[in-house]
Amino acid sequence: MGLPSPIFSDSSPENHKSLLDYILSNSPIVLFSADETGLMNFASGKALDMLGLDSSAFIGTNFVQHQWNAEIREEDGTVRSLEQTEALKLVLSGREISAETVFLGRHFAVRISPAMGEDGKVKGLVGVSLDITDRKIAEDILEKRTVDFQTLIGVLPVVVFSISPEGRIILADGKGLERLKINPKEVVGKTIFERAQNQPEVLEAFSQALKGEESIYHTEINGLLLETRMYPRLSRSGRIQEILGIVYDISDRMEYEKKIKQNEEKYRSLFQNNPQIMFVFDRSSLQILAVNRTAILAYGYSEEEFIGKSIADLRPEEDRPHLFEAIRNLKEGLNSFPEMRHLKKDGDMMYLDIVSSPIRFQNTDAVLVSGTDVSERVRVTRENRFNLEVISQVNDAIIALDGDMNVTYCNDYAAKMYEVDAGECLGKHYTTLFKEDWISEENYQAAMQDWENLGASKRELIHTLRSGKKITIESNFKKINAEGYLVPGLIMVNRDISEKIESRRSLEEALQGLAKTNKELEQFAYIASHDLQEPLRTIASYLQLLERKFSEEIKPEMREFIQVSVEAAKRQQGLIESLLSYSRIGSDSVKKSKGDANRILDEVRKDLSSVIQETNTDLVLEGPFPEVYADQDQIRRLFSNLISNGIKFRSPNRDPEIHIKVKHVPGANVFSVSDNGIGMDSKYFDRIFIIFQKLHTRSEYPGTGIGLSICKKIVENHGGKIWVQSSPGHGSEFFFTLPEV
């Protein structure tokens, strides 16, 4: 504590004056006095400064000259106005008065007392005015608020109440009492314990409020759902003075909340069960806040994995800058983004048509995303684009027509072939490109029959261009469904075969000439062979006859000459017979039919049984063998020649072994005939199939050298080929192909 102020510790008269000066200088008061005529002789105080005045404005003036509005409270409690003259008279009559005045716009509490002389008579007056402007303003505000509050509770459907700490209801007011059909007189004065019968929640809330806590409970009265809140009102010392409460009718609110909840459930169900991919993400953090079942199935994430994931994680890294820019530039309403690339959990890509809308979700700025998986559309579009690009490069005229036979598509080659600009023919009737001329009535009728029965046809036609030029084309045309038309459209693929027709004509002429030549050659070979054999038979016969008839007279040397001549004639006759046989195996002589290769080989085995036994040959048929569509006799001869060839060229050091096998390849069967004979050098692989070509002398291996030539001709007659693999001393393996049945 510091030393006491000398002003308050000194009780001398001088100190009293100093104390008075201190009060006048620091308190919002005015101290004044006047004589019995009302002439003011003193005025001082800080309140004069607050009014912007000094003492000279009052000293020497009369008390009644100053305008004021004053009110005085009578002994019976009534309040009336008090004028200056009456106030002066009352004070001079010895009465002390207290009033509130308004002076120069400020409020003062005034106390005026009679000033008594030494003789006990009233000599004038002395007064003090306290500036209470701030207090009056506060009172006015409080009064206004009180009125407003009373107005509100008189209008709003609420009930306000006050309960003493002992539980007695002090106040019950408000428009809500009318709705509850409760008379406040029936409530005020009662205890809360009386009112809360069979309502433990009321007493529990009251008990909670007595502990200094706000409490809330719900009840139902007269069919109305009510929410009651209780608040403790504390004194400055912290003691509970009363419990204040307010009762709300929340029936409408609860109904509204119920509808909101139902709507929320409905929209949540629509969101969850929507066939569209849907999710919501925070616009700032980009974290996903909600996701529906369709999105879960489409992306492959669980709901737990989705929530909290960044929307950027669903996009390829190179697409993310575009994503961030799009989010920044989102406008209110719908924002569309077609064919956006999105990543699934397994890394696969899918394409979505996205519609995004800014929304408020969970009290944050968010974006609702709705997506449609268009991956298949993108794939088909790209394929179509690729196909159109491919079609545009095809060297055939491709033209599509709608149900009215107007051109809806033609590739670049079509424009070139029909001598028009690209795109010029679109939307126009096809006759602006060309006019067709059917080669014959039969050709036209056949095309129309195909069109009706098959919906497609392939025919050769003559197209006349706008220039008058005629081209021969091969047209493949097929019905197509033309959208919006009852009749079908068509697509045609036209190929200019003018040169092909000319080449075909030349080829047909050459083939006819070749066929004629071959026929003539076959006839010549047959006739020549027959005519050549006759003199050879005559020569051989007469030589043999000469040898028998003059056998005793012929010298040994002459006999040798005759024998050489006869053998030469017979050998020549064998060559002619081989030539005749070769000429007979022509393509015209082939008579194909289905046959069993197993049966054919069994018959060949029987035909060669004698030579097989004589040579101790082991013939192994590694079947089963397939059916063949071939000339059965020629195939039988083919196998017979190859087996005989293997026996003929056997090794002198071992018994012959011949294996026949078959292997299937796409579109054909490959037969093989292998032996363990003497083999051959690879340089002879082509030579052995040429007619009359032999690798050995007649003394070593007799024969004309025509057997493998016949094999080659038989295989070629059936559209196959024949070849050999061999090495000297290790045998040979002949292969040939026949088309599969």
Side-chain angles (χ1 to χ4, degrees):
M1 300 288 291
L3 294 174
S5 172
I7 296 177
F8 298 103
S9 60
D10 189 355
S11 58
S12 63
E14 292 80 4
N15 188 57
H16 289 167
K17 184 177 183 305
S18 298
L19 179 59
L20 179 61
D21 291 340
Y22 179 83
I23 293 172
L24 292 173
S25 300
N26 292 280
S27 300
I29 64 173
V30 176
L31 187 63
F32 61 90
S33 63
D35 61 15
E36 64 270 19
T37 65
L39 186 66
M40 297 186 69
N41 50 35
F42 179 80
S44 181
K46 185 181 179 182
L48 290 175
D49 297 334
M50 296 170 68
L51 292 169
L53 303 174
D54 56 23
S55 58
S56 63
F58 293 93
I59 297 174
T61 64
N62 198 286
F63 174 79
V64 298
Q65 292 178 344
H66 295 282
Q67 296 293 325
W68 66 343
N69 294 318
E71 290 182 341
I72 186 172
R73 186 177 296 276
E74 299 290 358
E75 293 180 356
D76 60 2
T78 60
V79 178
R80 65 179 181 85
S81 62
L82 180 66
E83 296 180 354
Q84 299 91 321
T85 304
E86 183 183 3
L88 179 60
K89 288 180 179 179
L90 290 173
V91 173
L92 291 178
S93 66
R95 181 178 172 183
E96 184 177 75
I97 62 173
S98 296
E100 291 185 0
T101 66
V102 179
F103 184 70
L104 296 181
R106 296 192 70 82
H107 294 265
F108 292 90
V110 181
R111 181 179 290 275
I112 306 175
S113 303
M116 309 301 290
E118 294 179 357
D119 56 2
K121 294 182 179 181
V122 177
K123 299 296 185 180
L125 60 84
V126 62
V128 62
S129 297
L130 175 64
D131 190 332
I132 59 171
T133 303
D134 292 341
R135 191 191 77 188
K136 292 297 290 183
I137 292 174
E139 289 176 351
D140 288 344
I141 292 173
L142 178 60
E143 183 179 3
K144 183 176 182 302
R145 288 182 177 175
T146 301
V147 172
D148 291 343
F149 176 72
Q150 290 175 340
T151 301
L152 284 173
I153 65 173
V155 175
L156 295 176
V158 298
V159 177
V160 294
F161 60 86
S162 171
I163 306 174
S164 70
E166 294 76 27
R168 185 143 327 257
I169 301 173
I170 303 169
L171 170 70
D173 198 1
K175 187 74 172 176
L177 290 171
E178 295 181 10
R179 296 193 67 183
L180 295 173
K181 301 177 181 179
I182 295 176
N183 187 339
K185 294 179 180 180
E186 298 175 355
V187 177
V188 176
K190 299 279 184 74
T191 66
I192 191 171
F193 308 105
E194 295 175 290
R195 296 290 302 175
Q197 295 178 2
N198 301 322
Q199 292 179 297
E201 67 274 10
V202 178
L203 298 179
E204 183 179 349
F206 179 68
S207 175
Q208 188 176 347
L210 289 175
K211 295 177 183 178
E213 302 174 1
E214 178 186 349
S215 62
I216 182 172
Y217 66 90
H218 296 91
T219 56
E220 185 175 345
I221 300 177
N222 296 333
L224 299 175
L225 186 60
L226 307 176
E227 180 180 278
T228 303
R229 294 176 181 268
M230 291 187 182
Y231 310 88
R233 187 169 75 84
L234 306 178
S235 65
R236 291 184 179 179
S237 63
R239 294 182 60 188
I240 296 177
Q241 292 183 322
E242 60 181 327
I243 303 299
L244 301 176
I246 184 168
V247 181
Y248 303 91
D249 180 359
I250 60 171
S251 302
D252 293 340
R253 189 187 79 187
M254 293 303 292
E255 183 65 23
Y256 178 69
E257 289 178 353
K258 180 180 178 182
K259 289 182 178 178
I260 289 178
K261 186 177 180 181
Q262 290 174 345
N263 286 335
E264 286 179 350
E265 291 176 352
K266 179 176 70 174
Y267 289 124
R268 187 178 295 109
S269 176
L270 288 173
F271 175 80
Q272 282 295 336
N273 298 307
N274 198 303
Q276 298 279 86
I277 293 171
M278 299 190 79
F279 54 85
V280 180
F281 68 89
D282 188 302
R283 193 168 182 178
S284 298
S285 68
L286 305 186
Q287 288 187 333
I288 295 175
L289 305 176
V291 62
N292 74 344
R293 295 187 183 93
T294 306
I296 290 171
L297 292 174
Y299 286 93
Y301 292 105
S302 66
E303 185 173 7
E304 292 74 16
E305 291 173 320
F306 249 122
I307 302 302
K309 180 180 289 293
S310 172
I311 180 68
D313 295 338
L314 303 180
R315 300 293 301 278
E317 187 173 353
E318 59 271 22
D319 292 357
R320 290 171 189 172
H322 177 265
L323 167 69
F324 301 145
E325 181 182 0
I327 293 173
R328 285 194 300 271
N329 297 329
L330 279 179
K331 300 176 181 178
E332 291 298 322
L334 302 180
N335 299 263
S336 298
F337 305 95
E339 297 182 4
M340 294 291 101
R341 300 194 302 169
H342 279 235
L343 290 173
K344 298 182 180 180
K345 182 179 179 179
D346 59 9
D348 286 349
M349 191 85 69
M350 64 178 173
Y351 289 82
L352 303 181
D353 278 352
I354 294 292
V355 177
S356 299
S357 306
I359 62 170
R360 289 288 295 176
F361 184 79
Q362 297 178 353
N363 297 320
T364 187
D365 288 335
V367 178
L368 172 63
V369 177
S370 175
T372 303
D373 188 343
V374 294
S375 303
E376 181 63 17
R377 186 190 74 194
V378 170
R379 183 189 66 79
V380 171
T381 300
R382 289 183 175 180
E383 286 183 358
N384 289 343
R385 192 180 299 121
F386 174 78
N387 292 338
L388 288 175
E389 181 62 27
V390 170
I391 289 172
S392 68
Q393 304 301 317
V394 171
N395 288 335
D396 287 325
I398 301 175
I399 303 170
L401 308 179
D402 61 21
D404 292 332
M405 297 294 106
N406 294 325
V407 178
T408 60
Y409 173 82
C410 67
N411 65 346
D412 293 342
Y413 192 81
K416 178 181 177 182
M417 191 169 88
Y418 289 103
E419 300 177 352
V420 296
D421 294 333
E424 177 186 346
C425 56
L426 294 179
K428 299 179 181 177
H429 199 268
Y430 77 91
T431 54
T432 59
L433 281 177
F434 61 83
K435 289 183 173 58
E436 72 268 20
D437 295 318
W438 295 90
I439 294 176
S440 65
E441 180 64 22
E442 292 78 7
N443 190 35
Y444 171 76
Q445 293 298 335
M448 293 302 100
Q449 186 174 357
D450 289 346
W451 177 261
E452 291 298 326
N453 297 335
L454 305 176
S457 186
K458 179 180 179 180
R459 288 291 182 271
E460 292 180 1
L461 302 91
I462 297 174
H463 281 183
T464 304
L465 310 189
R466 292 189 300 189
S467 63
K469 177 183 176 181
K470 293 182 180 292
I471 58 174
T472 304
I473 61 109
E474 180 183 77
S475 181
N476 285 273
F477 50 93
K478 183 178 181 180
K479 288 181 183 180
I480 56 174
N481 292 323
E483 186 175 353
Y485 291 88
L486 295 177
V487 293
L490 65 88
I491 185 167
M492 64 176 75
V493 180
N494 297 338
R495 176 174 295 178
D496 186 348
I497 57 171
S498 301
E499 294 182 1
K500 176 183 174 182
I501 291 295
E502 186 60 34
S503 299
R504 184 197 297 169
R505 187 178 295 110
S506 299
L507 180 60
E508 287 175 351
E509 292 175 355
L511 289 174
Q512 289 174 358
L514 181 61
K516 182 179 179 182
T517 301
N518 287 338
K519 191 69 175 177
E520 291 173 350
L521 285 173
E522 288 178 6
Q523 292 176 350
F524 170 77
Y526 180 80
I527 295 171
S529 298
H530 184 273
D531 292 346
L532 286 174
Q533 284 189 81
E534 186 60 30
L536 287 174
R537 280 195 297 268
T538 302
I539 292 172
S541 297
Y542 274 95
L543 285 173
Q544 290 173 338
L545 179 62
L546 180 65
E547 182 183 10
R548 287 194 303 271
K549 189 172 184 178
F550 300 100
S551 58
E552 296 179 358
E553 301 175 8
I554 295 175
K555 297 178 179 180
E557 185 179 2
M558 292 178 61
R559 190 181 301 279
E560 181 180 352
F561 290 159
I562 290 172
Q563 290 175 353
V564 169
S565 299
V566 170
E567 288 177 4
K570 289 181 177 179
R571 187 167 59 253
Q572 185 67 28
Q573 190 176 5
L575 289 173
I576 293 171
E577 288 177 351
S578 297
L579 180 62
L580 180 60
S581 177
Y582 183 80
S583 68
R584 287 172 178 167
I585 305 177
S587 58
D588 292 343
S589 65
V590 177
K591 299 176 181 178
K592 293 181 180 180
S593 63
K594 278 187 181 182
D596 185 357
N598 298 283
R599 180 185 58 79
I600 294 173
L601 286 168
D602 287 339
E603 292 176 352
V604 170
R605 183 196 291 271
K606 292 177 181 178
D607 293 342
L608 300 176
S609 59
S610 296
V611 69
I612 289 174
Q613 290 177 1
E614 290 173 3
T615 58
N616 200 27
T617 298
D618 185 11
L619 177 60
V620 181
L621 305 180
E622 299 182 15
F625 296 94
E627 281 190 332
V628 292
Y629 183 69
D631 187 308
Q632 307 296 306
D633 292 336
Q634 289 191 10
I635 297 301
R636 182 174 178 174
R637 186 170 186 178
L638 171 63
F639 280 117
S640 180
N641 281 6
L642 292 174
I643 295 172
S644 298
N645 198 70
I647 296 174
K648 180 178 181 180
F649 294 99
R650 62 187 179 276
S651 171
N653 303 321
R654 52 186 177 268
D655 290 338
E657 287 184 12
I658 299 175
H659 292 259
I660 301 179
K661 297 180 288 187
V662 66
K663 180 177 69 174
H664 179 73
V665 297
N669 291 306
V670 180
F671 292 85
S672 67
V673 180
S674 62
D675 61 58
N676 62 343
I678 61 174
M680 73 186 83
D681 194 284
S682 60
K683 65 182 179 182
Y684 300 121
F685 285 177
D686 293 331
R687 179 180 170 185
I688 60 173
F689 293 107
I690 299 175
I691 190 171
F692 299 139
Q693 294 295 314
K694 292 171 57 86
L695 303 183
H696 307 280
T697 64
R698 285 188 301 275
S699 61
E700 293 177 306
Y701 296 99
T704 60
I706 200 171
L708 292 177
S709 302
I710 290 176
C711 290
K712 183 173 185 291
K713 194 169 186 181
I714 290 172
V715 171
E716 290 178 347
N717 283 346
H718 289 79
K721 61 179 182 177
I722 187 170
W723 68 98
V724 65
Q725 291 180 354
S726 180
S727 60
H730 295 90
S732 302
E733 186 170 13
F734 288 85
F735 300 88
F736 65 89
T737 63
L738 292 177
E740 67 176 337
V741 177

